[in-house]
Amino acid sequence: MRSPALTWAALRDLKCGELEGAADGWGAAANRADAARDRIEQELLNGLRDTQQGEAATSAVARLRQLGRNFQYVYTECGLLRTTLNSLAHELKAQQRVLAGALDDAVTLRFTVHADGSVSYPAAGDGIIDDRPPQGGTASSGGLPALSAPSGLVAPNPNLAKAQDIADRLAGAVRAAAEIDWRYAGILRRLKAEEGLKVPASTWTDAAGDAAAVRDAAGAYLRNAIPHDATPAERHAWWAGLTQEQREEYLAVYPDRIGNLDGIPAVARDAANRDNLQLLIGKLAGRDDEKSVTQLAGLREIDRQLGAATQPPMFLLGIGDEGNGRAIVSYGNPDTARNVAAYVPGLNTSLDRDFAEGDLKRARDTAITAQRYDSSSAAIVWLGYDAPQAPDWFGSLAVMGEDRANQGGDAFRGFTNGLMVTSDHDDPHLTAIGHSYGSRTVGAATQQGDGMPGVDDIVLVGSPGVGVDRAEDLGVGKENVFVGAAENDVVTRLPSKQQVALGAASGPLAFVVGDIADQGDDDLWFGKDPASDAFGAKRFQVDEGPQLVSSRGLSIDAHSQYFDVAPERDNVSADNIALIATGNSRKIKTEEPR
């Protein structure tokens, strides 16, 4: 049964403040749930892990983590309710203003507005047939605007057009308000949780749908104000100018946009992305396409590590499922750290389990090693672009074009700019690290716009070239460009494009192990070898890594060990990277360039 039709009087008398008061109540509930989740994750779980062991402790940790997820779900849903009610009030207020303007005009003109929305007007104007003014009448909206009589020859009373305009405005405001009420009623009916204390994965799938529905309904209420096209400094100023309530609403409804916006403080990005992570898991759960299954495995592993409360603490600065996936993870708070290293991975990197286990470990190892030299240090792995994917290393050299490096370089520039903007320090020490194709991406970042202002040092490891032929062209001074190239790292010996053209008939393996591999001219696939004397960077010592071809078969592991810390291996590379990242480059162990 449909509710009674909305009238202009009901719209006029509607108390939107009561809707906003209800929104505040849901907001308070969301904040309490968020505080409870924080207490579980920051105090209870850490205390339990530090003091208790055994099956009982393991079981208690699992139950506390589930309780934390439940509070996270409560926080998300209550936040959506708050934004829905505030957006409803926002849109209804707009129609109340339209209505009030029409009623004010009616009072000024001394017209009478009737309960049904019709408008009576008095006699006025000059008669055409006699001297008497044309008589008054009543105008009502026919449902379509701007259909009033076009001229005084048809309706000579000038008040008719004015009354018709008022009636149409009244009817338009009422119709719009009724549509708004209907639209939001559907959204509010959806925002309900399943019965019981446990929040299963399927509920997060529903929550993802809820968030999308609230976004569609809320429309311009919040979304249009997000400064997507602004500079990181402008975004930082925008966020600083919001009230706490406004920030909470943005975090609840647009965690993906706020969490991935350079210039927003790390703590806010982390809070947004932790919620968005759950929504993404819910969104992808149950899908059977290869991309969804692959990304879901990576997301779940990141979620597991976040819940494990690793040290240094993790900050999730970016997460998304677009392209090959996005993930930006910092070990240590980059806003409070004096030293920040941002590492860009390369070829074959995507949001999958290997990334969540391997690349995150590299950043964590870097942070742990750096903190031995300066406790105020953070290390980041930045997967903010689509790195090339090559299922066959030796048969797919053509995949190594430069378009993705250029696109990724522009995005990385924005990220490093954001790090400078949000830092608590006037002049933090920032190091950009490029591994493999990621070094080409870092090189591209230095060649766009004004380069990478604020970046002090650049580290290139496992590099196939960076797009320039001299270290001084990277914009930080050649004395601040450092290169690690393992003796057995095949990627650092890729032939130049000219050499590939000459040896195309020799077979794919010839490019790296045959006659044409690096014929002594210091040219690699993307330009001059960064480890060469001609390039002019400082080369630091690294472990030579396993040979490409040995009795154990074919291995490219030498390409991926620059960051790793392990008791059974020489950790000179990781130590050197940490020294550079903490501003102690004078202490690194060097070796002669090629």
Side-chain angles (χ1 to χ4, degrees), residues 469 499 518-524 527-535 594:
D469 290 333
Q499 291 169 347
D518 194 2
Q519 296 181 343
D521 60 3
D522 297 323
D523 286 334
L524 298 182
K528 196 67 66 180
D529 180 1
S532 69
D533 184 57
F535 190 79
R594 290 173 175 169

Side-chain angles (χ1 to χ4, degrees), residues 247-522:
R247 292 175 187 171
E248 290 168 358
E249 286 199 73
Y250 276 112
L251 291 173
V253 183
Y254 293 104
D256 57 333
R257 303 195 182 193
I258 300 302
N260 291 288
L261 207 59
D262 297 326
I264 302 300
V267 171
R269 290 181 72 163
D270 177 64
N273 285 316
R274 285 177 185 249
D275 290 331
N276 189 40
L277 175 63
Q278 299 304 320
L279 295 175
L280 284 172
I281 290 174
K283 172 185 172 182
L284 299 181
R287 295 185 181 180
D288 57 4
D289 60 284
E290 183 178 357
K291 176 184 174 181
S292 296
V293 171
T294 298
Q295 292 188 349
L296 184 60
L299 293 171
R300 283 177 169 160
E301 174 58 21
I302 292 173
D303 182 47
R304 185 197 68 77
Q305 293 185 37
L306 287 169
T310 59
Q311 292 297 326
M314 292 173 66
F315 289 80
L316 190 57
L317 304 182
I319 198 73
D321 63 342
E322 60 268 34
N324 293 328
R326 301 287 186 267
I328 307 171
V329 179
S330 178
Y331 288 89
N333 186 339
D335 291 351
T336 60
R338 282 190 301 268
N339 308 293
V340 181
Y343 142 59
V344 183
L347 187 68
N348 276 352
T349 308
S350 62
L351 178 56
D352 55 17
R353 191 175 184 88
D354 286 343
F355 168 83
E357 292 178 340
D359 290 276
L360 263 65
K361 180 183 182 299
R362 292 170 189 167
R364 182 168 182 256
D365 283 349
T366 301
I368 291 173
T369 309
Q371 289 187 1
R372 293 174 185 166
Y373 299 110
D374 188 336
S375 60
S376 183
S377 299
I380 301 168
V381 53
W382 182 87
L383 181 59
Y385 77 122
D386 283 331
Q389 304 296 301
D392 180 354
W393 271 73
F394 304 124
S396 304
L397 292 178
V399 78
M400 295 179 66
E402 302 190 57
D403 289 346
R404 296 192 181 189
N406 290 329
Q407 295 169 5
D410 186 55
F412 187 58
R413 285 178 61 245
F415 178 72
T416 56
N417 195 352
L419 291 176
M420 299 300 297
V421 167
T422 59
S423 177
D424 292 346
H425 301 274
D426 293 335
D427 187 22
H429 180 257
L430 182 58
T431 303
I433 305 174
H435 175 235
S436 184
Y437 188 87
S439 67
R440 179 65 187 91
T441 302
V442 170
T446 68
Q447 302 304 300
Q448 300 175 9
D450 55 354
M452 293 193 293
V455 171
D456 299 283
D457 296 310
I458 291 177
V459 175
L460 310 169
V461 288
S463 176
V466 296
V468 300
D469 290 333
R470 300 180 304 172
E472 60 195 69
D473 294 334
L474 294 176
V476 296
K478 67 178 184 179
E479 68 279 3
N480 295 315
V481 180
F482 304 88
V483 178
E487 188 64 24
N488 294 320
D489 182 354
V490 62
V491 175
T492 70
R493 297 184 178 277
L494 286 176
S496 69
K497 296 174 184 178
Q498 291 78 14
Q499 291 169 347
V500 169
L502 290 173
S506 301
L509 282 178
F511 294 147
V512 290
V513 297
D515 296 335
I516 67 167
D518 194 2
Q519 296 181 343
D521 60 3
D522 297 323

Side-chain angles (χ1 to χ4, degrees), residues 69-103:
R69 291 181 187 278
N70 291 356
F71 279 123
Q72 185 173 14
Y73 175 74
V74 171
Y75 164 77
T76 297
E77 289 292 311
C78 288
L80 293 176
L81 278 163
R82 172 176 59 184
T83 298
T84 301
L85 292 171
N86 275 333
S87 182
L88 171 60
H90 173 79
E91 293 195 36
L92 288 175
K93 280 181 175 180
Q95 299 309 316
Q96 284 184 319
R97 288 192 293 270
V98 173
L99 180 74
L103 292 174

Side-chain angles (χ1 to χ4, degrees), residues 154-180:
V154 176
N157 188 332
N159 285 330
L160 172 58
K162 298 174 183 178
Q164 187 65 56
D165 174 67
I166 291 173
D168 288 342
R169 287 154 62 195
L170 291 171
V174 171
R175 283 197 303 272
E179 186 278 330
I180 292 166

